[in-house]
Amino acid sequence: MASLAYLTSDFFDRDPRKVARALLGKLLIRRSRGVSLSGRIVETEAYLGEDDAAAHAAAGQTKRNSVLFGPPGFAYVYFIYGMHYCLNVSCMKEGEAGCVLIRALEPVSGIERMAALRGIELPKDPKLYKPSSLKSIASGPGRLAEAFGITRERDNGKNLTGEESDLRIAEDGSRVKNITAGPRVGIVKSAARPLRYFIADNPYVSGRKVKLPSP
DNA sequence: GAGGAGATCGTCT
DNA sequence: GACGATCTCCTCT
């Protein structure tokens, strides 16, 4: 693998739409107790500030979403539907809300560990891994959070650009082609805005049905 | 394979 | 008290 360059806060100090595009192809890396988990980001969604009705920041700053109003490059983890965590990264300068939701990853390393955290059984021989099993590890916001052991208690408010952080994002020099934009998934407000970005034809993009509001 | 509905609980009103 | 940036199981075709 090529040498890794960890992203700095400058990377996130700009419009969430630019960050969401730029994050595609980057590596999300968790290092803890000598175990390294990593996955390539293949799908993201941009959530703008208070003028984006679908964003958690739309109603202004609350105790829950205060990370969004903080400095760029911090993890905003929230609990949804009573059973899932979702990982966002704050964007823009302190005082300006904005974030990018990481929706799907292509597993790269520590696959056995991630599968175990997801409750997925893999054969001992990596050659026998089923594509469907690999896809189900992290193709969705709740799934990738579970695969990386991401929880609100553990990771909310964590600086993803700090050298001491166990959760960081890096680039390895790989280039991404065929970035496609489309409507965001699972929301009603501002659903038509094309703020979801994914790598076209990548099998690890989450496969949720998109419900568009009736005209 | 596609579509629908239930599960389950933190957060906000 | 209502709702939600989801996932999985079950049913139907």
Side-chain angles (χ1 to χ4, degrees):
Chain A
M1 199 197 298
S3 62
L4 293 177
Y6 287 100
L7 304 186
T8 64
S9 61
D10 290 348
F11 182 92
F12 300 98
D13 182 12
R14 48 182 169 159
D15 190 299
R17 286 165 287 198
K18 291 181 181 174
V19 177
R21 272 181 168 272
L23 276 177
L24 294 176
K26 301 292 187 288
L27 294 169
L28 180 68
I29 300 170
R30 164 84 93 188
R31 291 184 202 279
S32 65
R33 299 194 194 99
V35 179
S36 176
L37 308 177
S38 69
R40 193 174 301 281
I41 299 169
V42 298
E43 183 179 356
T44 58
E45 281 181 8
Y47 286 86
L48 312 180
E50 295 176 63
D51 60 344
D52 180 0
H56 283 184
Q61 187 170 354
T62 64
K63 187 180 173 185
R64 175 169 73 143
N65 67 18
S66 59
V67 175
L68 297 178
F69 292 82
F74 280 66
Y76 169 51
V77 180
Y78 66 90
F79 191 59
I80 188 97
Y81 296 117
M83 55 184 81
H84 300 296
Y85 289 101
C86 295
L87 173 66
N88 298 251
V89 187
S90 65
C91 301
M92 314 280 280
K93 288 187 171 53
E94 189 162 0
E96 296 177 62
C99 69
V100 172
L101 168 67
I102 300 177
R103 285 192 55 86
L105 299 174
E106 173 183 345
V108 173
S109 67
I111 295 175
E112 301 82 4
R113 177 72 181 146
M114 290 190 277
L117 285 166
R118 289 271 299 119
I120 297 169
E121 285 191 30
L122 291 176
K124 288 183 180 176
D125 184 354
K127 291 175 189 167
L128 299 178
Y129 290 174
K130 290 181 186 172
S132 60
S133 297
L134 293 176
K135 178 177 177 178
S136 64
I137 289 176
S139 63
R143 290 173 173 180
L144 77 87
E146 192 174 351
F148 270 68
I150 291 169
T151 66
R152 182 176 166 82
E153 296 74 29
R154 184 179 181 185
D155 298 302
N156 189 48
K158 184 171 282 182
N159 182 3
L160 301 183
T161 63
E163 289 185 16
E164 73 291 347
S165 177
D166 66 338
L167 188 64
R168 300 172 78 182
I169 300 174
E171 66 177 321
D172 63 355
S174 66
R175 293 188 179 179
V176 173
K177 298 174 186 172
N178 300 328
I179 293 177
T180 303
R184 291 175 293 190
V185 176
I187 58 173
V188 177
K189 302 166 187 169
S190 304
R193 300 174 83 166
L195 297 177
R196 171 178 177 239
Y197 303 94
F198 56 95
I199 301 174
D201 304 325
N202 186 292
Y204 297 94
V205 169
S206 68
R208 297 301 297 168
K209 307 151 241 189
V210 178
K211 273 189 185 174
L212 291 174
S214 50

